[in-house]
């Protein structure tokens, strides 16, 4: 195996692929990246057995084919430390990978390519192609609500649901729920649901950077695979049953509040400074045309904000974790938001003022 490549052309895919590779590995080969040269193409593969990422680069000069695995982190650090626009010469010589660039010389240990695990490809059951920017937006609007290390392992990921011409993403950690839908030309009669693990979702979002590019997605029985021009990403799916999210959406709320998103966000942020550091509770007091936000903490400090809102209805007092409200306001895009409440023990439904494509549910707190 022998090829030459510009530093920048190698570094971009290498950084993304190395992001998948785990540092602490039980299998030594899993901390390596698989390099394969075929014809005029170099492919780089990293995996942690849950998630696999393949990056592809077209080589400008003729290359000798071959395949080998080398330590991902070390190869990336070497590339990073070289001056920009350097031409890197890489060749395999008796189980060592020799790297030359200008006056620098490195030799890296290798492990055979045959030892490198591949994610088994099961039969794909559903394939569709969508704009990258739309899928990324779907993920960004919902991923914050995924659980981190919940014993209910199916919450440590995101539900992707495909039904006739709609792709929907849903995430919940049991205290709040985020849901976003997009229209997509997918011919699918019955609902098809998969749960993608947290790491898979975050890696996928990192890949979808081309504003005008498309991504092709295959939902198999045990895997999701996404392919863009330069990358192929595969993730195992979570084997479990996602809660029935439609039952969580509050019905029959009679108190509708319309407010300025940025004003509310700033008022919540200021009040949060004096909320209890552990529970982050704030109190909302609703009267006609006015929302009062109050917080206090064990040191007996207090904060109060008043925000003018469009609201006519009965008075209401309700408590929330302020972090959950700020997360929602942070991902919304419109100037106005609407908040639907019914009583102090029922969840709140937050939406953008002029569309229903996303919905956020936040459970109240007892204060």
């Amino acid at each position: 195996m022998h090829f030459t490549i510009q530093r920048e052309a190698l570094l971009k895919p290498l950084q993304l692929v190395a992001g998948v590779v785990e540092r602490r590995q039980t299998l030594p080969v899993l901390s390596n990246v698989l390099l394969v040269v075929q014809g005029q193409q170099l492919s780089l593969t990293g995996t942690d057995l849950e998630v696999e990422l393949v990056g592809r680069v077209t080589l400008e000069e003729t290359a000798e084919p071959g395949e080998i695995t080398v330590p991902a982190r070390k190869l990336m650090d070497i590339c990073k430390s070289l001056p920009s626009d350097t031409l890197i010469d890489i060749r395999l010589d008796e189980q060592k990978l020799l790297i030359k660039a200008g006056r620098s010389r490195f030799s890296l240990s290798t492990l055979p390519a045959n030892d490198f695990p591949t994610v088994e490809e099961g039969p794909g059951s559903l394939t569709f192609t969508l704009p990258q920017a739309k899928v990324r937006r779907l993920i960004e609007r919902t991923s914050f609500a995924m659980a981190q290390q919940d014993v209910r392992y199916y919450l440590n990921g995101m539900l992707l649901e495909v039904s006739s011409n709609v792709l929907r993403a849903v995430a919940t950690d049991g205290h709040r729920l985020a849901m976003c839908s997009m229209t997509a030309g997918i011919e699918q009669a019955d609902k098809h649901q998969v749960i993608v693990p947290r790491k898979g979702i975050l890696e996928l979002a990192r890949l979808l950077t081309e504003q005008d590019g498309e991504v092709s997605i295959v939902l198999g029985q045990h895997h999701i695979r996404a392919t863009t021009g330069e990358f192929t990403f595969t993730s195992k799916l979570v084997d479990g049953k996602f809660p029935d999210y439609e039952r969580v959406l509050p019905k029959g709320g009679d108190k509708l509040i319309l407010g300025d998103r940025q004003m509310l966000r700033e008022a919540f942020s200021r009040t949060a400074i004096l909320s209890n550091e552990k529970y982050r509770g704030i109190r909302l007091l609703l009267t006609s045309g006015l929302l009062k936000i109050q917080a206090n903490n064990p040191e007996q400090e207090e904060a109060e904000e008043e925000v003018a809102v469009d609201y006519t209805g009965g008075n209401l007092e309700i408590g929330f974790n302020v972090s959950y409200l700020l997360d929602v306001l942070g991902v919304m895009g419109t100037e106005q938001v609407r908040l639907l409440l019914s009583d102090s023990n029922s969840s709140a439904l937050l939406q953008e003022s002029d569309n229903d494509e996303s919905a956020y549910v936040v459970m109240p707190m007892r204060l």
Side-chain angles (χ1 to χ4, degrees), residues 44-176:
L44 307 95
T45 307
T47 183
D48 66 354
L49 297 182
E50 294 288 315
V51 172
E52 177 191 85
L53 181 58
V54 184
R56 293 177 291 277
V57 190
T58 303
L59 297 169
E60 291 176 2
E61 301 182 24
T62 47
E64 276 178 37
E67 54 180 22
I68 196 69
T69 81
V70 293
R73 197 68 50 185
K74 288 176 186 168
L75 180 59
M76 183 177 77
D77 288 344
I78 288 170
C79 286
K80 269 186 175 171
S81 64
L82 290 168
S84 51
D85 291 336
T86 310
L87 191 66
I88 304 176
D89 180 279
I90 296 179
R91 75 161 66 236
L92 185 62
D93 184 27
E94 291 185 3
Q95 307 314 306
K96 289 275 192 228
L97 193 74
L98 304 180
I99 302 167
K100 294 182 191 170
R103 294 185 169 183
S104 310
R105 302 276 181 282
F106 306 90
S107 88
L108 284 178
S109 63
T110 64
L111 286 168
N114 300 344
D115 294 0
F116 197 79
T118 52
V119 175
E120 291 298 313
E121 190 164 347
S125 54
L126 185 61
T127 308
F128 48 91
T129 302
L130 298 167
Q132 286 187 32
K134 277 185 136 181
V135 179
R136 185 184 170 110
R137 182 162 160 264
L138 204 65
I139 293 173
E140 285 174 346
R141 292 197 153 203
T142 46
S143 58
F144 67 86
M146 291 188 290
Q148 301 247 15
Q149 286 168 327
D150 202 295
V151 289
R152 297 164 294 181
Y153 57 93
Y154 47 83
L155 296 185
N156 303 322
M158 183 182 288
L159 176 76
L160 291 182
E161 180 185 274
V162 180
S163 50
S164 177
N165 295 326
V166 175
L167 174 65
R168 175 173 286 171
V170 186
T172 179
D173 60 6
H175 303 286
R176 53 176 171 177

Side-chain angles (χ1 to χ4, degrees), residues 337-353:
V337 294
R338 60 176 191 253
L339 181 62
L340 198 62
L341 299 165
S342 51
D343 58 54
S344 57
N345 298 319
S346 303
S347 298
L349 178 69
L350 289 90
Q351 286 182 296
E352 296 183 337
S353 60

Side-chain angles (χ1 to χ4, degrees), residues 229-246:
E230 295 165 348
F231 292 97
T232 300
F233 163 83
T234 310
S235 169
K236 280 187 177 173
L237 297 174
V238 177
D239 186 17
K241 177 107 179 71
F242 202 78
D244 179 1
Y245 62 87
E246 299 204 357

